[in-house]
C-alpha cells in the first residue's frame, strides 16, 4: 500500500501541514512511540531525515490527530499502534483501535470488528477509533507525484 521510497522532511512536513517549528518540536520528543514512527536522525549535520512511505503516512496521521486536539504523546501512541498493525498485516486498509470498558486496547482490522453490538470478545466496548490507511497512502503518492524532481551526478 505504501511505496518503497525515501522522502525528505521538507516534503513530509508540507503534506502534513506542519510548520518548521512544529516539526522541530516533534523531532525533539523522546517518548518511545514518537521515536518509533520517525526515521533515524542523520549521521551528518545538515542532512534531512528520510522517511519511508509508511513513516510518511504515520507522520501525517500524527499531525492530523494533533490538529484535531489529540495531545502529542497520545497521537504518537495511536500512530505507532497503526504502524505496528500494518507491519503485522499490510493487506488491511482500515484499522480499528478498540478500547474496552475493562481498559484493554486492541488494534483490529475494521472489517472483522462488529462495533454495533457494543461488545468485543465478550467485553463491553467503551469506544473505537477507525483509521483508513488508504487515505494516508494516497496522500503519500500525491505528495511524491507533486514533488520536484532532482537529478544528481
Amino acid at each position: 500500500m505504501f511505496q518503497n521510497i525515501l522522502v525528505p522532511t521538507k516534503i513530509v512536513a508540507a503534506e502534513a501541514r506542519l510548520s518548521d517549528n512544529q516539526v522541530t518540536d516533534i523531532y525533539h520528543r523522546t517518548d518511545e512511540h514518537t521515536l518509533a514512527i520517525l526515521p533515524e536522525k542523520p549521521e551528518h549535520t545538515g542532512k534531512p531525515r528520510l522517511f519511508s512511505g509508511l513513516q510518511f503516512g504515520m507522520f501525517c496521521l500524527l499531525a492530523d490527530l494533533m490538529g484535531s486536539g489529540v495531545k502529542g504523546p497520545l497521537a504518537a501512541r495511536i500512530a505507532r499502534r497503526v504502524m505496528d498493525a500494518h507491519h503485522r498485516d499490510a493487506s488491511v486498509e482500515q484499522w480499528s483501535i478498540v478500547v474496552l470498558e475493562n481498559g484493554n486496547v486492541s488494534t483490529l482490522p475494521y472489517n472483522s470488528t462488529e462495533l454495533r453490538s457494543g461488545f468485543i470478545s465478550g467485553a463491553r466496548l467503551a469506544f473505537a477509533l477507525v483509521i483508513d490507511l488508504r487515505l494516508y497512502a494516497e496522500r503519500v503518492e500525491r505528495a511524491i507525484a507533486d514533488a520536484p524532481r532532482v537529478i544528481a551526478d
Side-chain angles (χ1 to χ4, degrees):
M1 179 180 321
F2 289 95
Q3 296 182 22
N4 185 18
I5 49 153
L6 294 175
V7 183
T9 300
K10 183 176 181 178
I11 293 170
V12 174
E15 183 59 34
R17 300 176 202 98
L18 294 175
S19 68
D20 289 343
N21 288 341
Q22 290 170 311
V23 172
T24 300
D25 178 56
I26 291 169
Y27 279 175
H28 284 99
R29 293 177 188 212
T30 57
D31 65 280
E32 66 177 302
H33 303 295
T34 302
L35 294 175
I37 67 168
L38 292 176
E40 294 286 324
K41 186 175 180 179
E43 290 181 21
H44 303 288
T45 303
K47 296 283 185 182
R49 290 188 193 225
L50 296 175
F51 288 73
S52 70
L54 179 59
Q55 289 169 327
F56 187 163
M58 293 304 96
F59 195 80
C60 288
L61 172 60
L62 174 75
D64 287 351
L65 290 167
M66 290 172 52
S68 297
V70 177
K71 299 289 185 196
L74 179 57
R77 176 176 264 162
I78 292 168
R80 183 178 185 182
R81 277 188 161 279
V82 173
M83 184 178 76
D84 290 346
H86 182 74
H87 283 303
R88 284 193 313 271
D89 188 350
S91 67
V92 176
E93 296 179 336
Q94 296 176 312
W95 290 96
S96 295
I97 299 174
V98 178
V99 179
L100 303 176
E101 199 172 59
N102 64 12
N104 289 343
V105 180
S106 299
T107 307
L108 306 166
Y110 177 72
N111 62 1
S112 70
T113 54
E114 177 50 57
L115 302 175
R116 293 179 296 175
S117 71
F119 290 88
I120 301 286
S121 299
R124 184 127 181 95
L125 173 70
F127 64 90
L129 176 66
V130 178
I131 307 293
D132 189 345
L133 286 183
R134 292 176 300 191
L135 168 75
Y136 293 98
E138 289 168 6
R139 283 177 66 178
V140 170
E141 287 176 23
R142 183 177 58 245
I144 293 166
D146 293 345
R149 302 288 182 237
V150 177
I151 300 173
D153 293 333

